Amino acid sequence: MVNDRRRGRPSGPTGPVISRALRLLDAFDAEHRALTLSDLARRADMPLSTAHRLVQELCAWGAVERDDDGLYQVGLRLWELGSLAPRGPGLRETALPYLEDLCQITRENVQLAVREGTEVVFVERIAGFGSVPVLTRVGGRWALTSTGVGLVLLAHASTEVQEDVLNGPIEHHTAKTVTDPVQLRRMLAAVRSNGYSVSDRQVTMDALSVGAPIRRGDGEVVAAVSLVVRHGSTTAHGLAGLVRTCAQAISRALTP
Amino acid sequence: MVNDRRRGRPSGPTGPVISRALRLLDAFDAEHRALTLSDLARRADMPLSTAHRLVQELCAWGAVERDDDGLYQVGLRLWELGSLAPRGPGLRETALPYLEDLCQITRENVQLAVREGTEVVFVERIAGFGSVPVLTRVGGRWALTSTGVGLVLLAHASTEVQEDVLNGPIEHHTAKTVTDPVQLRRMLAAVRSNGYSVSDRQVTMDALSVGAPIRRGDGEVVAAVSLVVRHGSTTAHGLAGLVRTCAQAISRALTP
DNA sequence: GCGCGGTTTCCGGAAAATGGAAGGCTCGCC
DNA sequence: GGCGAGCCTTCCATTTTCCGGAAACCGCGC
């Protein structure tokens, strides 16, 4: 049901209005925070005049703004709205003190993430004291199959999501990245029975991460915490206890 | 147009589509993070079926989500997008280390804010060690006339904005809140010549805040920092130096 | 002057948006 | 059990708003 709607036609709407406006917003990402109108139109694949009209409306409301060079950027109003998202900033707020404790104790990188579709979204990350440089960005996305948090979230996702991910193309980063569906399935089973995940050098060759699930009152996994450490500095098993304890504390804080 | 009385009320669009979708999103605020469809329609003042259709489209994209009780809430995707806003998270990111330094030194509440229209939007706040409880929320709005950051931002806004604010109704919080336009004008002039603002018990009777402007390369004021302390604990003048130094450091960090 | 990239405005035509009505659904109360 | 009150969802005739090619409008550099 993808595109191919290019025909020189007289006039008339060609698609739901809102979805076009949202496609326009999708043109922004971490590498493209400020765009010209033409860039926006190109990236969203729509006529210039259409993009112009839509962007005008979005501007009027504050979803996008123009900077002093005339470039369009994501507006403050959108950020305000976003800061009301329960699964993002809401979760972050209640989890933060526990994450900081974990960081204090271990001096390592701590990460908090949730699943969105077939990807991980990082909600918070605290940089440990002089440990491995982190590649993640708050608000950024990542594959479910490589990171510690990702494996936890995937292990407790619906089978439908799991199949989607395992049957699709699997991101590859290092020689240790597991890309074999069969092996991944085994790993996920282990995550479920152990109560924690280990991603050993699957993202970069010098890092290892251990993740644990955060559950809601009814037991459903809604998020995950992880600790990212330099490979070889500690055993994964040694960290697992700490991470699980932290995750359980957050789970408890979430339920009332 | 001409009087055109129709008996069977026909149907047809009554307003720009996108603006309606955005009005729908406006229904969410800090006190209403989860709403039923009916509430949404009521708050946005539109027919149920219209709200339903629009919300469906927003859901499909991830701008809103449904929680397990069927309530609608702001979606994670929106937060992701919002985290790309240069004036919000972008500014926050570069300013954070300086704000933390200021907090370490003074042990007091530190706030970072920008102006949006005729209001203040708080971009970051760090809670000092056992000082005055803060009323602000990251992502929250406030009047320009009462807080330390607000006075700074108002003092350096265009005359048009200043007139808008001074001629409009002015929020009143305590017996010390300045609501007289003439007196406010004098305060703003003082802010410009001193390089810092003082809000003495204008928000609560036990707090005092001192703000300073953050400037871009060309000198334009783009944000403000403030320190919020218990009334009587220190003199405003004593704090002003620290706040200004911090603001200047951030200004410098912003320019390259 | 001329061309070039980006931006803005225009306007006839037609698809997409609208919202009242009707159908389900789940409670809680008589 | 029957019944009403809310809430959610689907339907569809009616028209209003959206669409987008074209053309004007900017600087800017040559």
Side-chain angles (χ1 to χ4, degrees):
Chain A
M1 67 181 288
V2 203
N3 49 14
D4 197 61
R5 88 149 43 268
R6 46 192 72 275
R7 293 256 328 265
R9 283 269 142 196
S11 55
T14 60
V17 198
I18 293 181
S19 80
R20 306 206 130 197
L22 296 174
R23 237 170 64 208
L24 213 45
L25 291 177
D26 267 328
F28 293 101
D29 61 32
E31 286 77 43
H32 302 86
R33 299 194 182 208
L35 298 167
T36 67
L37 177 62
S38 314
D39 279 331
L40 267 173
R42 252 190 299 279
R43 287 173 64 85
D45 186 36
M46 60 179 74
L48 210 62
S49 56
T50 303
H52 181 251
R53 188 165 23 78
L54 295 178
V55 112
Q56 294 261 75
E57 287 201 66
L58 292 173
C59 260
W61 184 78
V64 309
E65 301 173 352
R66 290 192 91 163
D67 70 6
D68 322 271
D69 303 331
L71 298 177
Y72 291 95
Q73 52 185 37
V74 176
L76 200 62
R77 188 77 194 77
L78 211 51
W79 172 73
E80 284 182 62
L81 242 190
S83 72
L84 295 174
R87 269 177 62 204
L91 172 66
R92 175 190 170 279
E93 210 170 316
T94 64
L96 199 54
Y98 301 96
L99 301 178
E100 276 171 346
D101 284 352
L102 186 58
C103 182
Q104 285 289 324
I105 295 171
T106 61
R107 295 283 180 177
E108 302 284 359
N109 297 314
V110 175
Q111 300 188 316
L112 175 68
V114 300
R115 180 176 63 81
E116 169 91 338
T118 58
E119 290 182 301
V120 172
V121 176
F122 287 93
V123 171
E124 180 58 291
R125 66 141 248 240
I126 306 181
F129 193 71
S131 45
V132 206
V134 271
L135 304 171
T136 53
R137 193 181 65 80
V138 170
R141 286 173 174 255
W142 210 267
L144 278 170
T145 44
S146 31
T147 63
V149 276
L151 290 170
V152 169
L153 293 170
L154 183 55
H156 296 95
S158 66
T159 50
E160 190 191 358
V161 171
Q162 293 190 15
E163 290 310 309
D164 262 26
V165 172
L166 293 176
N167 293 331
I170 293 172
E171 251 181 43
H172 179 91
H173 296 109
T174 73
K176 297 279 285 182
T177 306
V178 178
T179 55
D180 174 33
V182 179
Q183 203 178 338
L184 272 170
R185 262 180 245 274
R186 262 200 296 275
M187 288 182 71
L188 296 179
V191 172
R192 280 186 293 268
S193 65
N194 295 339
Y196 67 91
S197 71
V198 179
S199 158
D200 186 3
R201 286 167 288 175
Q202 293 207 55
V203 177
T204 59
M205 281 308 276
D206 55 357
L208 167 120
S209 77
V210 178
I214 295 174
R215 295 168 186 278
R216 224 177 19 199
D218 59 4
E220 200 189 334
V221 173
V222 292
V225 209
S226 78
L227 217 41
V228 183
V229 305
R230 187 169 297 280
H231 169 68
S233 64
T234 335
T235 69
H237 186 74
L239 299 172
L242 285 170
V243 181
R244 290 186 59 188
T245 308
C246 177
Q248 282 161 14
I250 297 171
S251 303
R252 234 169 292 125
L254 235 47
T255 37
Chain B
M1 316 297 153
V2 208
N3 45 15
D4 192 39
R5 157 174 286 126
R6 45 206 40 179
R7 38 201 166 172
R9 44 227 81 213
S11 47
T14 61
V17 198
I18 291 180
S19 80
R20 307 205 127 198
L22 296 174
R23 239 170 62 209
L24 215 45
L25 291 177
D26 266 328
F28 293 100
D29 62 31
E31 285 76 44
H32 303 87
R33 300 195 181 205
L35 298 166
T36 67
L37 177 62
S38 314
D39 279 331
L40 223 41
R42 254 190 297 280
R43 287 173 64 86
D45 187 36
M46 60 179 74
L48 206 65
S49 58
T50 302
H52 181 251
R53 187 165 23 79
L54 295 178
V55 113
Q56 295 260 77
E57 286 199 69
L58 293 172
C59 258
W61 184 77
V64 308
E65 301 173 352
R66 289 190 91 163
D67 69 7
D68 323 271
D69 303 331
L71 298 177
Y72 290 96
Q73 53 185 36
V74 176
L76 201 62
R77 188 75 193 78
L78 211 51
W79 172 72
E80 285 182 63
L81 241 189
S83 72
L84 295 174
R87 270 178 64 207
L91 172 66
R92 175 190 170 280
E93 211 170 316
T94 64
L96 199 54
Y98 302 96
L99 301 178
E100 276 169 347
D101 284 353
L102 187 57
C103 182
Q104 285 287 326
I105 295 171
T106 62
R107 294 283 180 179
E108 303 285 359
N109 297 313
V110 175
Q111 301 188 316
L112 175 69
V114 300
R115 182 175 63 82
E116 169 91 340
T118 58
E119 291 182 301
V120 172
V121 176
F122 287 93
V123 171
E124 180 59 290
R125 66 142 248 239
I126 307 182
F129 192 71
S131 46
V132 207
V134 270
L135 303 170
T136 53
R137 193 181 64 80
V138 170
R141 284 174 174 253
W142 209 267
L144 278 171
T145 45
S146 32
T147 64
V149 275
L151 289 170
V152 169
L153 294 170
L154 183 56
H156 295 94
S158 68
T159 51
E160 190 191 357
V161 170
Q162 293 189 16
E163 290 310 309
D164 262 26
V165 172
L166 293 175
N167 294 331
I170 294 172
E171 251 182 42
H172 178 92
H173 297 109
T174 72
K176 297 278 288 181
T177 307
V178 178
T179 56
D180 174 34
V182 178
Q183 202 179 338
L184 273 169
R185 260 180 246 275
R186 261 201 297 274
M187 287 182 71
L188 297 179
V191 171
R192 280 187 292 268
S193 67
N194 295 338
Y196 68 90
S197 70
V198 179
S199 159
D200 186 3
R201 287 166 287 175
Q202 292 206 56
V203 177
T204 59
M205 281 308 275
D206 56 357
L208 168 118
S209 78
V210 179
I214 295 173
R215 295 167 187 279
R216 223 177 20 197
D218 58 5
E220 201 191 333
V221 173
V222 293
V225 208
S226 78
L227 216 43
V228 184
V229 305
R230 186 169 299 279
H231 168 69
S233 65
T234 334
T235 70
H237 186 74
L239 298 172
L242 285 171
V243 180
R244 289 187 59 189
T245 309
C246 177
Q248 281 160 14
I250 296 171
S251 302
R252 232 169 292 125
L254 235 46
T255 36

